[in-house]
């Protein structure tokens, strides 16, 4: 086993928008050519369908992991992705009948429903075991980083420049380091209630 001091480092990441407001659901991940590779987390990641929405809106997983898509809604859904990182579809179903999907290529996968056009979700697939996403306060802490040099990247589905990734290099030696990021986000468009006020009974 590596010495405990080597594995105890943590790195705090703060993300704000151009106006200084905290940004939730920003994806944070640290890459290093010399970092210790951890075993992939156990399967069990879920993106459910509820109230004609994907929950959660943003999911981050390591390359090679699988995701389950249980439909806990009152109607059936037909989910799909045309993203280069993972093209797939699961035709009309309800409950947990759909098979899990393995995400074997790094990139951003945009999910949609062929029946309910307003349903969207984002799966970020990363080639590193060090990842997460910011909370409502715009913060996330990367834990258990072996000492070394990292490229710490931050991405968000709503950036002005689609697919933009903010990046900083940092030498991790111990706890206490804080990285600050500022993202330019598009103005958020609120969906009208009428956009969701329909049923599909097929």
């Amino acid at each position: 086993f590596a010495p405990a001091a080597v594995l105890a480092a943590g790195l705090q990441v703060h993300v704000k928008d151009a106006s200084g407001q905290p940004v939730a659901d920003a994806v944070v991940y640290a890459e290093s050519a010399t970092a210790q590779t951890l075993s992939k987390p156990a399967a069990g990641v879920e993106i459910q369908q509820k109230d004609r929405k994907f929950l959660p809106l943003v999911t981050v997983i390591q390359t090679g992991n699988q995701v389950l898509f249980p439909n806990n809604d009152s109607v059936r859904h037909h989910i799909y992705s045309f993203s280069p990182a993972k093209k797939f579809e699961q035709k009309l179903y309800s409950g947990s009948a759909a098979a899990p999907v393995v995400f074997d290529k790094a990139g951003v996968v945009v999910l949609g429903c062929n029946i309910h056009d307003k349903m969207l979700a984002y799966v970020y697939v990363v080639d590193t075991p060090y990842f997460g996403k910011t909370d409502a306060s715009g913060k996330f802490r990367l834990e258990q980083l072996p000492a070394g040099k990292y490229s710490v990247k931050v991405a968000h589905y709503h950036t002005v420049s689609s697919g933009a990734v903010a990046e900083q290099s940092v030498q991790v030696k111990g706890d206490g380091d804080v990285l600050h990021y500022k993202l330019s986000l598009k103005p958020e468009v609120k969906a009208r209630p009428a956009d969701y006020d329909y049923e599909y009974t097929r």
Side-chain angles (χ1 to χ4, degrees), residues 30-92:
E31 297 179 333
S32 174
T34 60
Q36 174 184 338
T37 301
L38 301 183
S39 59
K40 291 181 172 59
V45 178
E46 288 190 352
I47 300 175
Q48 68 166 314
Q49 299 144 75
K50 181 70 174 177
D51 298 328
R52 298 183 184 86
K53 297 178 181 179
F54 289 109
L55 299 174
L57 172 64
V58 177
T59 300
V60 196
I61 58 174
Q62 189 175 352
T63 308
N65 284 176
Q66 64 181 22
V67 178
L68 294 167
F69 293 93
N71 181 358
N72 298 320
D73 222 332
S74 57
V75 295
R76 293 192 292 172
H77 293 295
H78 180 153
I79 63 175
Y80 69 91
S81 171
F82 294 140
S83 300
K86 189 65 180 182
K87 296 180 180 181
F88 74 98
E89 68 174 333
Q90 295 189 337
K91 297 184 178 181
L92 284 168

Coordinates of all heavy atoms in Angstrom, one line a residue, residues 30-92:
A30 N -9.8 15.6 -12.9 CA -8.3 15.8 -12.9 C -7.6 14.7 -13.6 O -7.9 13.5 -13.4 CB -7.9 15.9 -11.4
E31 N -6.8 15.1 -14.6 CA -6.0 14.2 -15.4 C -4.5 14.3 -15.1 O -4.0 15.4 -14.9 CB -6.3 14.4 -16.8 CG -7.7 14.2 -17.3 CD -7.9 14.5 -18.7 OE1 -7.2 15.3 -19.3 OE2 -8.9 13.9 -19.3
S32 N -3.9 13.1 -15.0 CA -2.4 13.1 -14.8 C -1.8 11.9 -15.4 O -2.3 10.8 -15.2 CB -2.1 13.2 -13.3 OG -0.7 13.0 -13.1
A33 N -0.7 12.1 -16.1 CA -0.1 10.9 -16.8 C 0.6 10.0 -15.7 O 0.9 8.9 -16.0 CB 1.0 11.4 -17.8
T34 N 0.9 10.6 -14.5 CA 1.6 9.8 -13.5 C 0.7 9.4 -12.3 O 1.2 8.8 -11.4 CB 2.8 10.7 -13.0 OG1 2.3 11.9 -12.4 CG2 3.7 11.1 -14.1
A35 N -0.5 9.8 -12.4 CA -1.4 9.5 -11.2 C -1.7 8.0 -11.1 O -1.8 7.3 -12.1 CB -2.7 10.2 -11.3
Q36 N -1.9 7.6 -9.9 CA -2.2 6.2 -9.7 C -3.6 5.9 -10.3 O -4.5 6.6 -10.1 CB -2.2 5.9 -8.2 CG -2.7 4.5 -7.8 CD -2.8 4.3 -6.3 OE1 -2.2 5.1 -5.5 NE2 -3.6 3.4 -5.8
T37 N -3.7 4.8 -11.0 CA -5.0 4.4 -11.5 C -5.8 3.6 -10.5 O -5.4 2.6 -10.0 CB -4.8 3.6 -12.8 OG1 -4.1 4.3 -13.8 CG2 -6.2 3.2 -13.4
L38 N -7.0 4.1 -10.2 CA -7.9 3.4 -9.3 C -8.8 2.4 -10.1 O -9.0 2.6 -11.2 CB -8.7 4.4 -8.5 CG -7.9 5.4 -7.6 CD1 -8.9 6.2 -6.9 CD2 -7.0 4.7 -6.7
S39 N -9.3 1.4 -9.4 CA -10.2 0.5 -10.0 C -11.5 1.2 -10.4 O -11.9 2.2 -9.7 CB -10.5 -0.7 -9.1 OG -11.0 -0.2 -7.9
K40 N -12.1 0.8 -11.4 CA -13.4 1.4 -11.8 C -14.5 1.2 -10.7 O -14.5 0.1 -10.2 CB -13.8 0.9 -13.2 CG -13.0 1.3 -14.3 CD -13.5 0.8 -15.6 CE -12.7 1.3 -16.8 NZ -11.3 1.1 -16.8
P41 N -15.3 2.2 -10.5 CA -16.3 2.0 -9.5 C -17.3 1.0 -9.9 O -17.5 0.7 -11.1 CB -17.0 3.4 -9.4 CG -16.6 4.1 -10.7 CD -15.3 3.6 -11.0
A42 N -18.0 0.4 -9.0 CA -18.9 -0.7 -9.3 C -20.1 -0.1 -10.1 O -20.5 1.0 -10.0 CB -19.4 -1.3 -8.0
A43 N -20.7 -1.0 -10.9 CA -21.8 -0.6 -11.7 C -23.0 -0.2 -10.8 O -23.1 -0.7 -9.6 CB -22.2 -1.7 -12.6
G44 N -23.9 0.6 -11.2 CA -25.0 1.0 -10.4 C -25.4 2.4 -10.6 O -26.3 3.0 -9.9
V45 N -24.7 3.1 -11.6 CA -25.1 4.5 -11.9 C -26.5 4.4 -12.6 O -26.7 3.6 -13.5 CB -24.1 5.1 -12.8 CG1 -24.5 6.5 -13.2 CG2 -22.7 5.1 -12.1
E46 N -27.4 5.3 -12.2 CA -28.7 5.4 -12.8 C -29.0 6.8 -13.2 O -28.7 7.8 -12.6 CB -29.8 4.9 -11.8 CG -29.8 3.4 -11.5 CD -31.0 3.0 -10.7 OE1 -31.8 3.9 -10.2 OE2 -31.2 1.8 -10.5
I47 N -29.7 6.9 -14.4 CA -30.4 8.1 -14.8 C -31.8 7.7 -15.0 O -32.2 7.0 -16.0 CB -29.7 8.6 -16.1 CG1 -28.3 8.9 -15.9 CG2 -30.5 9.9 -16.6 CD1 -27.5 9.3 -17.2
Q48 N -32.7 8.2 -14.1 CA -34.1 7.8 -14.2 C -34.9 8.8 -15.0 O -34.4 9.9 -15.2 CB -34.7 7.6 -12.8 CG -34.8 8.9 -12.0 CD -35.7 8.8 -10.8 OE1 -36.8 8.2 -10.9 NE2 -35.2 9.3 -9.7
Q49 N -36.0 8.4 -15.4 CA -37.0 9.2 -16.1 C -38.2 9.4 -15.2 O -38.8 8.4 -14.8 CB -37.4 8.6 -17.4 CG -36.2 8.4 -18.4 CD -36.4 7.2 -19.2 OE1 -37.2 7.1 -20.1 NE2 -35.6 6.1 -18.8
K50 N -38.4 10.7 -14.8 CA -39.5 11.0 -13.8 C -40.1 12.4 -14.2 O -39.3 13.3 -14.4 CB -38.9 11.0 -12.4 CG -39.9 11.2 -11.3 CD -40.9 10.1 -11.1 CE -41.8 10.3 -9.9 NZ -42.8 9.2 -9.8
D51 N -41.4 12.4 -14.2 CA -42.1 13.7 -14.5 C -41.6 14.3 -15.8 O -41.4 15.5 -16.0 CB -41.8 14.7 -13.4 CG -42.4 14.3 -12.0 OD1 -43.4 13.6 -12.1 OD2 -41.8 14.6 -11.0
R52 N -41.4 13.4 -16.8 CA -40.9 13.8 -18.1 C -39.6 14.5 -18.1 O -39.3 15.5 -18.8 CB -42.0 14.6 -18.9 CG -43.3 13.8 -19.1 CD -44.2 14.6 -19.9 NE -45.5 13.9 -20.1 CZ -46.5 13.9 -19.2 NH1 -46.3 14.6 -18.1 NH2 -47.6 13.3 -19.4
K53 N -38.7 14.1 -17.2 CA -37.4 14.7 -17.1 C -36.4 13.5 -16.9 O -36.7 12.5 -16.3 CB -37.3 15.7 -15.9 CG -38.1 16.9 -16.0 CD -37.9 17.7 -14.8 CE -38.8 19.0 -14.8 NZ -38.7 19.8 -13.6
F54 N -35.1 13.8 -17.2 CA -34.0 12.9 -16.9 C -33.5 13.4 -15.5 O -33.2 14.5 -15.3 CB -32.9 12.9 -17.9 CG -33.2 12.2 -19.2 CD1 -33.4 12.9 -20.4 CD2 -33.3 10.8 -19.3 CE1 -33.7 12.3 -21.6 CE2 -33.6 10.2 -20.5 CZ -33.8 10.9 -21.6
L55 N -33.3 12.4 -14.6 CA -32.8 12.8 -13.3 C -31.6 11.8 -13.0 O -31.8 10.6 -12.9 CB -33.8 12.7 -12.2 CG -35.1 13.6 -12.4 CD1 -36.1 13.3 -11.3 CD2 -34.6 15.1 -12.3
P56 N -30.4 12.4 -12.7 CA -30.0 13.8 -12.7 C -29.9 14.3 -14.1 O -29.7 13.6 -15.1 CB -28.7 13.8 -12.0 CG -28.1 12.5 -12.3 CD -29.3 11.5 -12.3
L57 N -29.8 15.7 -14.2 CA -29.6 16.3 -15.5 C -28.2 16.1 -16.0 O -28.0 15.9 -17.2 CB -29.8 17.8 -15.3 CG -29.5 18.7 -16.5 CD1 -30.4 18.4 -17.7 CD2 -29.6 20.2 -16.1
V58 N -27.2 16.0 -15.1 CA -25.8 15.9 -15.5 C -25.2 14.7 -14.7 O -25.4 14.6 -13.4 CB -25.0 17.1 -15.2 CG1 -23.5 16.9 -15.5 CG2 -25.5 18.3 -15.9
T59 N -24.6 13.8 -15.4 CA -23.9 12.6 -14.8 C -22.5 12.5 -15.3 O -22.2 12.8 -16.4 CB -24.7 11.3 -15.1 OG1 -26.0 11.4 -14.7 CG2 -24.0 10.1 -14.5
V60 N -21.6 12.2 -14.4 CA -20.2 12.0 -14.7 C -19.8 10.6 -14.4 O -20.0 10.1 -13.3 CB -19.2 13.0 -14.0 CG1 -17.9 13.0 -14.7 CG2 -19.8 14.3 -13.9
I61 N -19.2 9.9 -15.3 CA -18.7 8.5 -15.1 C -17.4 8.3 -15.7 O -16.9 9.1 -16.6 CB -19.7 7.5 -15.7 CG1 -19.9 7.7 -17.2 CG2 -21.0 7.5 -15.0 CD1 -20.7 6.6 -17.9
Q62 N -16.7 7.2 -15.3 CA -15.4 6.9 -15.9 C -15.6 6.0 -17.1 O -16.6 5.2 -17.1 CB -14.6 6.1 -14.8 CG -13.1 5.9 -15.2 CD -12.3 5.3 -14.1 OE1 -12.8 5.2 -13.0 NE2 -11.1 4.9 -14.4
T63 N -14.8 6.1 -18.0 CA -14.8 5.3 -19.2 C -14.9 3.8 -18.9 O -14.2 3.3 -18.1 CB -13.6 5.6 -20.1 OG1 -13.4 7.0 -20.3 CG2 -13.7 4.9 -21.5
G64 N -15.9 3.1 -19.6 CA -16.1 1.7 -19.3 C -17.2 1.4 -18.4 O -17.6 0.2 -18.3
N65 N -17.7 2.4 -17.7 CA -18.8 2.2 -16.8 C -20.1 2.0 -17.5 O -20.3 2.5 -18.7 CB -18.9 3.3 -15.7 CG -17.9 3.2 -14.7 OD1 -17.8 4.1 -13.8 ND2 -17.0 2.2 -14.7
Q66 N -21.1 1.5 -16.8 CA -22.4 1.3 -17.5 C -23.5 2.1 -16.7 O -23.3 2.4 -15.5 CB -22.9 -0.2 -17.5 CG -23.0 -0.8 -16.2 CD -23.4 -2.3 -16.3 OE1 -23.2 -2.9 -17.3 NE2 -24.0 -2.8 -15.3
V67 N -24.5 2.5 -17.4 CA -25.6 3.3 -16.8 C -26.9 2.6 -17.0 O -27.2 2.1 -18.1 CB -25.6 4.7 -17.4 CG1 -26.8 5.5 -16.8 CG2 -24.3 5.4 -17.1
L68 N -27.8 2.6 -16.0 CA -29.1 2.0 -16.1 C -30.1 3.2 -16.3 O -29.9 4.3 -15.7 CB -29.5 1.3 -14.8 CG -28.7 0.0 -14.5 CD1 -29.0 -0.5 -13.1 CD2 -29.1 -1.1 -15.5
F69 N -31.1 3.0 -17.1 CA -32.1 4.0 -17.4 C -33.5 3.6 -17.0 O -34.4 3.3 -17.8 CB -32.1 4.4 -18.9 CG -30.8 5.0 -19.3 CD1 -29.7 4.2 -19.8 CD2 -30.6 6.4 -19.2 CE1 -28.6 4.8 -20.2 CE2 -29.4 7.0 -19.7 CZ -28.4 6.2 -20.1
P70 N -33.8 3.5 -15.7 CA -35.2 3.1 -15.3 C -36.2 4.2 -15.6 O -35.9 5.4 -15.4 CB -35.0 2.9 -13.8 CG -33.9 3.8 -13.4 CD -32.9 3.7 -14.5
N71 N -37.3 3.7 -16.1 CA -38.4 4.7 -16.4 C -39.4 4.6 -15.2 O -40.2 3.7 -15.1 CB -39.1 4.3 -17.7 CG -40.2 5.2 -18.1 OD1 -40.5 6.2 -17.3 ND2 -40.9 5.0 -19.2
N72 N -39.4 5.6 -14.4 CA -40.3 5.7 -13.2 C -41.4 6.7 -13.5 O -42.0 7.3 -12.6 CB -39.5 6.1 -12.0 CG -38.4 5.1 -11.6 OD1 -38.7 3.9 -11.7 ND2 -37.3 5.5 -11.2
D73 N -41.7 6.9 -14.8 CA -42.7 7.9 -15.2 C -44.0 7.2 -15.4 O -44.1 6.0 -15.4 CB -42.2 8.6 -16.4 CG -42.5 10.1 -16.4 OD1 -43.5 10.5 -15.7 OD2 -41.8 10.8 -17.0
S74 N -45.1 8.0 -15.6 CA -46.4 7.5 -15.9 C -46.6 7.2 -17.3 O -47.7 6.7 -17.7 CB -47.5 8.5 -15.4 OG -47.3 9.7 -16.0
V75 N -45.6 7.5 -18.2 CA -45.7 7.3 -19.6 C -44.5 6.6 -20.1 O -43.4 6.6 -19.4 CB -45.9 8.6 -20.4 CG1 -47.3 9.2 -20.1 CG2 -44.8 9.5 -20.2
R76 N -44.5 6.0 -21.2 CA -43.3 5.3 -21.8 C -42.4 6.3 -22.5 O -42.9 7.4 -23.0 CB -43.7 4.2 -22.8 CG -44.4 3.0 -22.1 CD -44.6 1.9 -23.0 NE -45.5 2.1 -24.1 CZ -45.7 1.3 -25.2 NH1 -45.0 0.2 -25.2 NH2 -46.5 1.6 -26.1
H77 N -41.1 6.0 -22.5 CA -40.2 6.9 -23.2 C -39.4 6.1 -24.2 O -39.2 4.9 -24.1 CB -39.2 7.5 -22.2 CG -39.9 8.5 -21.2 ND1 -40.5 9.6 -21.6 CD2 -40.1 8.4 -19.9 CE1 -41.0 10.3 -20.6 NE2 -40.8 9.5 -19.5
H78 N -38.8 6.8 -25.1 CA -37.9 6.3 -26.2 C -36.6 7.1 -26.1 O -36.6 8.1 -26.8 CB -38.6 6.3 -27.5 CG -37.8 5.8 -28.7 ND1 -38.4 5.3 -29.8 CD2 -36.4 5.7 -28.8 CE1 -37.4 4.9 -30.6 NE2 -36.3 5.1 -30.1
I79 N -35.7 6.7 -25.4 CA -34.5 7.5 -25.2 C -33.4 7.2 -26.2 O -33.4 6.0 -26.8 CB -33.9 7.4 -23.8 CG1 -33.4 5.9 -23.5 CG2 -34.9 7.8 -22.7 CD1 -32.7 5.8 -22.1
Y80 N -32.6 8.2 -26.5 CA -31.6 8.0 -27.6 C -30.4 9.0 -27.4 O -30.5 10.0 -26.6 CB -32.2 8.2 -29.0 CG -32.6 9.6 -29.2 CD1 -31.7 10.5 -29.8 CD2 -33.8 10.1 -28.8 CE1 -32.0 11.8 -30.0 CE2 -34.2 11.4 -29.0 CZ -33.3 12.3 -29.6 OH -33.6 13.6 -29.8
S81 N -29.3 8.7 -28.1 CA -28.2 9.7 -28.2 C -27.6 9.5 -29.6 O -27.4 8.4 -30.1 CB -27.2 9.5 -27.2 OG -26.0 10.3 -27.5
F82 N -27.4 10.7 -30.3 CA -26.7 10.7 -31.5 C -25.2 11.2 -31.3 O -24.5 11.4 -32.3 CB -27.4 11.6 -32.5 CG -28.7 11.2 -32.9 CD1 -29.8 12.0 -33.1 CD2 -29.0 9.8 -33.2 CE1 -31.0 11.6 -33.5 CE2 -30.2 9.3 -33.6 CZ -31.3 10.2 -33.7
S83 N -24.8 11.4 -30.1 CA -23.4 11.9 -29.8 C -22.4 10.9 -30.3 O -22.5 9.7 -30.1 CB -23.3 12.2 -28.3 OG -24.2 13.1 -27.9
P84 N -21.3 11.4 -30.9 CA -20.2 10.5 -31.4 C -19.6 9.6 -30.3 O -19.2 8.5 -30.5 CB -19.1 11.5 -31.9 CG -19.9 12.8 -32.2 CD -21.0 12.8 -31.2
A85 N -19.6 10.1 -29.0 CA -19.0 9.3 -27.9 C -19.9 8.1 -27.6 O -19.4 7.1 -27.1 CB -18.8 10.2 -26.7
K86 N -21.2 8.2 -27.9 CA -22.0 7.0 -27.7 C -23.4 7.2 -28.4 O -24.2 8.0 -28.0 CB -22.3 6.8 -26.2 CG -23.0 5.5 -25.8 CD -22.2 4.3 -26.2 CE -22.8 3.0 -25.9 NZ -21.9 1.8 -26.2
K87 N -23.6 6.4 -29.4 CA -24.8 6.4 -30.2 C -25.6 5.2 -29.7 O -25.1 4.1 -29.8 CB -24.6 6.4 -31.7 CG -23.9 7.6 -32.2 CD -23.7 7.6 -33.7 CE -22.9 8.9 -34.2 NZ -22.7 8.9 -35.6
F88 N -26.8 5.4 -29.3 CA -27.7 4.3 -28.9 C -29.1 4.7 -28.8 O -29.4 5.9 -28.8 CB -27.2 3.7 -27.5 CG -27.6 4.6 -26.3 CD1 -28.8 4.3 -25.6 CD2 -26.8 5.7 -26.0 CE1 -29.1 5.1 -24.5 CE2 -27.2 6.5 -24.9 CZ -28.3 6.2 -24.2
E89 N -30.0 3.8 -28.7 CA -31.4 4.1 -28.4 C -32.0 2.9 -27.6 O -31.6 1.8 -27.7 CB -32.2 4.3 -29.7 CG -32.4 3.1 -30.6 CD -33.3 3.4 -31.8 OE1 -34.1 4.3 -31.7 OE2 -33.1 2.7 -32.8
Q90 N -33.0 3.3 -26.8 CA -33.8 2.3 -26.1 C -35.3 2.6 -26.4 O -35.8 3.7 -25.9 CB -33.5 2.3 -24.6 CG -32.1 1.9 -24.3 CD -31.8 1.7 -22.8 OE1 -32.4 2.3 -22.0 NE2 -30.8 0.9 -22.5
K91 N -35.9 1.8 -27.1 CA -37.2 2.1 -27.7 C -38.3 2.0 -26.6 O -38.0 1.6 -25.4 CB -37.6 1.2 -28.8 CG -36.6 1.4 -30.0 CD -37.0 0.5 -31.2 CE -36.1 0.8 -32.4 NZ -36.4 0.0 -33.6
L92 N -39.5 2.5 -26.9 CA -40.6 2.6 -25.9 C -40.6 1.6 -24.9 O -40.7 0.4 -25.2 CB -41.9 2.7 -26.7 CG -42.2 4.0 -27.4 CD1 -43.4 3.7 -28.4 CD2 -42.5 5.1 -26.5

